Every structure is written in structure tokens, then in C-alpha cells.
Amino acid sequence: MRSAKYKTEPLKCWQKAKEIRENYYKNYAKAHEKGGIRWAGGAWSFDAIPAGLGDDVYPITSEPYGASVAWNKEFALECQEAVERAGYARDLCSYMRNYWGSVMLNKYVFGGEFPTPDFIWQDHICCSHAKWYQVVKDIEKKEIPFFCIDVSVGPYEQINEHKLNYVVMQMHDGIEWLEKIARRKYDDEKLIQAVYNHCRSTSLWAEVCALNKMIPAPLDEKTMYSLYVLGTLQKSSKVVADFYQELRDEVKDRVERGIAAVGNERCRVMTDTQPPWAFLKIFRYLEKYGCVSVGSLYTFGLIGMWDVQEDGTWGPRRTPQENGIEIKTRDQALRTLADWELKKPEWQHFYYPHLKSEMMIRIAKEWKLNGIMLHYNRGCEGLSLGIAENRIALIKAGFPVMSFEGNMGDEREFDETRTIARIDAFMETLGFERLE
């Protein structure tokens, strides 16, 4: 192995990220022991809204939970086979199948029985979102109160007052519903603070990702998976917002000192959609070529909020507080939250593939990539929608593209040997030999 070109060092805040995630799942499981409430919903749920019920309200978001199950290969297979025995199709969302299987088996992947939520708080843009919890109610055989907000109002560039009002009015209805089922008085000040935290978390994560434009990249995508996930758990939490501020400061420091994620970085790629979680070692395999995956539209835009900066490049969206806006009322808080979320990059390409292609080409240029690795992810119909059109657009824009098939949550649909062979061939195409 050649000596490293750049210095490397572990992230100082790594242990804190692990503790936040661990506490999150423990708090949900033990909520009732603390006299609190627990709710379930998707990673894109407006979690700032239930925060108005009090500080003892604990969520569990379904997609990250499904990914945690996927990482545990033996338990994931147990869950998937339980779902298939119950008659559900194998080509449904694999996160959803992992989650359903965990409920059916009554096993929490972090130990003990699966903790049933007191209510379900969901939004709907992906084809699976609302149906996910309709089936959970059937499996649990309990009348779990369920509220779902329809956010499929079109891409942000076409948003008008009527569309925004459609989402905001559902939020107002949702708060009345929460007060009724929780039998608690709603606290608008807690909502306002949660909205501030939400905007701060998602803007800071985008700023962290933007720092990866630097050469050498201070972070690699495998590491970023363990960091972005906190925003998918509870982005309206002050703990998460404060952590991202600490992370941003540390990554800035790494850039200033030239600390690299991959010591021999000489090739930069990005991926797309969720990875095959049981096989993250493919990212370490890339390092044998001096190749770093600097992220992806998925890593950057699942929670990160972006805007075009004055110089025309992509950077973090300015928060309401940075713009000098003080939120004073419930309606203003909900309107701010809806407008903020409807601009989410990963929501745009549910409508048109070209919107995703444009964002991917922007990343390929600004993050100075040598190539792109597209994951034809059979486990997620939503984020894989239009991926073949994206491949053509990237090639037309002059970027080499490799594709591989797999499944984010079902290891039975990932061929490790074949994928490694495709990586070897792709690196040869890009003109790189293994360093060892």
C-alpha cells in the first residue's frame, strides 16, 4: 500500500452521534415508563407538529427503523419471510416489509417486544406512505389513531398560494386531531421552537455536505450515512440541531487542516438512492482505488435544504432566523414549515425525472466528480423512479456512469461478487488501478 497522500483522523463527534441515535430508540421504547406518549410515522413526517404536545412525546420514524433491521441480516430475513408468509408481495418497499415483519414477530430490533405507538402521524408523497400504516393497524389488530397529510402538490417551482394553503390547512386540522386523541392542550411556543430547530438542522446538514466540495473530501459517504440519519429521526429536536452545528464546525476545521476521509483520494464519485445496507463494505472497497464517494443527491437532499447562492452554486438554504424572520403565531409556524419542506430536493423528482437529472448534474460538476454509480434499487420504487432517464442525462452531460442492481433492505437481491466485478471494470474505464 502506498503512503497516504493526505492526513486522516476519526471524527471527534462520532461517539455523540451514536449516543443520540441510541437514546432516540430507547426513549421511544420506554416512553410509557416515563409517563410519555409515543408516535410512529415516516422520516419525512412533520415531526415539529407533535412536538407541541409536550417534551415527553417520543417518535419512531419508519424508514430508518427498516434500515436498522436491514443491517441485521438474520433478523431482516426473518422479517421478510414473515411478511411473505402473510401474503404480501416481495416487490413492495423493503423498509416497509422489514418494519411490518418486526411488528408481526413482535420483536424490536434493539431488543424486547415491538413498542406499539399511541398514534400514527404520517405524510404522503411516496406510493407506500399512507398504506404502510394502514397495514400496521391491521397487523396490530388495534385501533391506533392515524392522521396523514397529503403533500403531493407538485414541484416547488410550481407552488402557489392555493397549493401551500392545501398543506397548511391539513396541518391545522392535524393539531386539532392531536389535541383530541392525546387529550392535551397544544403549546404553540413549543411548535415555534421545533420549527426553528427543523430549519436549522436541515440547513446545517446541507452546509456540511457542501463542505465536501473540497479536495480532499473531509467526509466519505459511508460515514455520512451515520450522520444524516439523525435528521431522519427527529430534525425538529434541539439535540439534533445542536449536533449538526457541532458537526459543521468540526468538518470546517477538517477542511482548513486538509484532513481527508480517504488518505489516497484521487478519484471522486457519487452514488444514488439508498445503499444495500447489509453491504456497506463496497465503499471501503472503492478506497483500494483511492476512490471516495463524496455523497449523493439522496445523502444531500433527503433532509438537507438547499438554495442557489449568489455565485450560482448550491449551498444551504437560509433559515427564517438568518433572514430576520420572527415566527409569532401557529399559522405562521405551519406556513413556514410547509414552504420549507415543499422545496426538499428529494421530493421534486417524484414529479419529473428531469428535475432529478438537473440536480445530479449540478452535483457532478460542483463536487468535481470522475463518475457516478447508480444503484438500481429494487427496494424503493419512489426514489428509483426515473433512474434510467437520469443515467441517460448524466451520460449526455459527459459523466461516466456505472449501474448496479440491488435492494436497500433485502440482501437476497444483491449480488456482491457481480457488483465488485462491475466496480473493477468501472475503475478501469476511469483509468484507475488498485493501489495495493
Side-chain angles (χ1 to χ4, degrees):
M1 188 74 169
R2 299 177 191 178
S3 59
K5 185 177 177 183
Y6 303 109
K7 291 181 183 176
T8 60
E9 65 180 37
L11 270 177
K12 298 181 181 71
C13 61
W14 183 255
Q15 184 59 32
K16 183 178 281 189
K18 289 176 67 175
E19 289 170 2
I20 292 171
R21 179 174 176 271
E22 185 179 354
N23 289 337
Y24 171 86
Y25 286 112
K26 277 184 182 173
N27 284 336
Y28 174 77
K30 296 183 180 300
H32 288 175
E33 295 175 22
K34 302 175 183 180
I37 299 173
R38 57 192 182 206
W39 63 269
W44 284 336
S45 298
F46 295 104
D47 65 307
I49 297 177
L53 290 176
D55 297 330
D56 58 348
V57 179
Y58 302 97
I60 184 173
T61 48
S62 40
E63 295 92 341
Y65 182 80
S68 296
V69 172
W71 188 81
N72 184 333
K73 293 182 187 178
E74 291 76 21
F75 183 54
L77 181 60
E78 201 180 338
C79 290
Q80 289 149 14
E81 289 181 343
V83 171
E84 288 160 20
R85 282 196 300 274
Y88 294 100
R90 184 170 162 171
D91 59 354
L92 293 172
C93 168
S94 56
Y95 282 170
M96 186 169 68
R97 288 186 288 126
N98 286 348
Y99 189 99
W100 287 354
S102 185
V103 176
M104 285 177 183
L105 297 167
N106 195 23
K107 290 182 181 177
Y108 195 44
V109 72
F110 302 102
E113 295 183 352
F114 190 91
T116 304
D118 297 307
F119 66 86
I120 296 164
W121 178 257
Q122 176 65 303
D123 61 7
H124 187 86
I125 188 168
C126 171
C127 52
S128 301
H129 279 161
K131 286 293 178 183
W132 185 315
Y133 284 101
Q134 180 184 343
V135 172
V136 167
K137 288 180 61 175
D138 293 342
I139 297 169
E140 290 274 13
K141 296 183 171 55
K142 296 175 183 173
E143 191 49 47
I144 307 171
F146 177 14
F147 194 92
C148 188
I149 296 177
D150 176 17
V151 296
S152 51
V153 293
Y156 190 75
E157 63 186 17
Q158 297 176 11
I159 291 297
N160 56 35
E161 196 64 15
H162 295 299
K163 292 180 177 181
L164 187 63
N165 282 339
Y166 173 64
V167 177
V168 173
M169 290 303 108
Q170 292 179 78
M171 292 173 160
H172 277 290
D173 290 346
I175 290 176
E176 291 180 12
W177 178 85
L178 285 170
E179 283 187 308
K180 185 177 175 183
I181 59 107
R183 298 178 182 176
R184 291 188 178 190
K185 183 172 174 53
Y186 194 80
D187 186 333
D188 287 341
E189 185 53 36
K190 290 189 184 302
L191 165 70
I192 290 168
Q193 292 306 316
V195 171
Y196 281 142
N197 288 333
H198 179 120
C199 297
R200 192 158 64 94
S201 295
T202 52
S203 176
L204 281 165
W205 176 248
E207 191 174 350
V208 169
C209 297
L211 289 167
N212 243 20
K213 293 181 184 179
M214 301 303 294
I215 297 176
L219 297 173
D220 66 285
E221 192 170 22
K222 183 175 183 295
T223 298
M224 295 169 80
Y225 289 141
S226 297
L227 302 169
Y228 90 100
V229 71
L230 301 181
T232 69
L233 299 179
Q234 199 172 11
K235 49 193 158 297
S236 70
S237 154
K238 184 175 185 300
V239 171
V240 172
D242 289 347
F243 173 78
Y244 279 146
Q245 191 160 327
E246 181 179 339
L247 173 66
R248 187 275 314 272
D249 293 345
E250 184 176 347
V251 175
K252 262 188 174 178
D253 177 62
R254 287 171 72 92
V255 169
E256 288 167 4
R257 293 188 295 121
I259 303 299
V262 174
N264 280 314
E265 178 187 319
R266 57 177 185 162
C267 173
R268 297 161 66 91
V269 298
M270 71 172 174
T271 65
D272 184 45
T273 83
Q274 305 90 329
W277 290 110
F279 298 93
L280 293 182
K281 59 186 175 185
I282 61 173
F283 289 94
R284 293 290 172 251
Y285 185 76
L286 289 172
E287 294 174 11
K288 295 180 185 296
Y289 287 92
C291 179
V292 58
S293 179
V294 300
S296 61
L297 179 62
Y298 167 75
T299 322
F300 296 172
L302 192 74
I303 63 157
M305 296 304 295
W306 299 80
D307 223 340
V308 177
Q309 309 296 298
E310 287 184 1
D311 63 359
T313 63
W314 238 19
R317 189 175 180 185
R318 287 176 61 84
T319 65
Q321 286 171 306
E322 288 172 332
N323 285 326
I325 298 170
E326 182 184 359
I327 301 174
K328 296 178 178 176
T329 66
R330 177 186 296 184
D331 185 69
Q332 187 186 3
L334 298 180
R335 202 161 288 276
T336 300
L337 183 60
D339 179 81
W340 186 266
E341 282 297 278
L342 289 172
K343 198 177 184 183
K344 188 190 297 294
E346 284 285 55
W347 282 8
Q348 309 310 307
H349 56 79
F350 277 92
Y351 305 104
Y352 303 109
H354 76 86
L355 296 175
K356 181 176 177 181
S357 297
E358 290 167 5
M359 291 187 281
M360 293 181 80
I361 292 168
R362 173 188 283 278
I363 293 172
K365 290 177 178 175
E366 292 185 20
W367 274 257
K368 309 170 191 70
L369 304 186
N370 298 89
I372 293 101
M373 296 170 57
L374 292 181
H375 180 199
Y376 280 26
N377 181 5
R378 297 179 184 176
C380 180
E381 296 90 342
L383 296 189
S384 298
L385 191 67
I387 197 168
E389 287 90 337
N390 304 141
R391 175 179 172 275
I392 292 170
L394 286 161
I395 292 172
K396 282 183 178 176
F399 292 97
V401 179
M402 163 200 157
S403 62
F404 64 99
E405 291 190 30
N407 191 309
M408 62 193 182
D410 189 340
E411 67 158 325
R412 296 171 296 178
E413 295 188 337
F414 181 73
D415 187 330
E416 182 181 356
T417 303
R418 178 175 290 183
T419 302
I420 292 294
R422 292 183 75 86
I423 289 173
D424 288 338
F426 188 52
M427 288 296 127
E428 185 177 344
T429 303
L430 296 179
F432 295 105
E433 296 178 347
R434 287 173 59 149
L435 294 170
E436 60 180 26

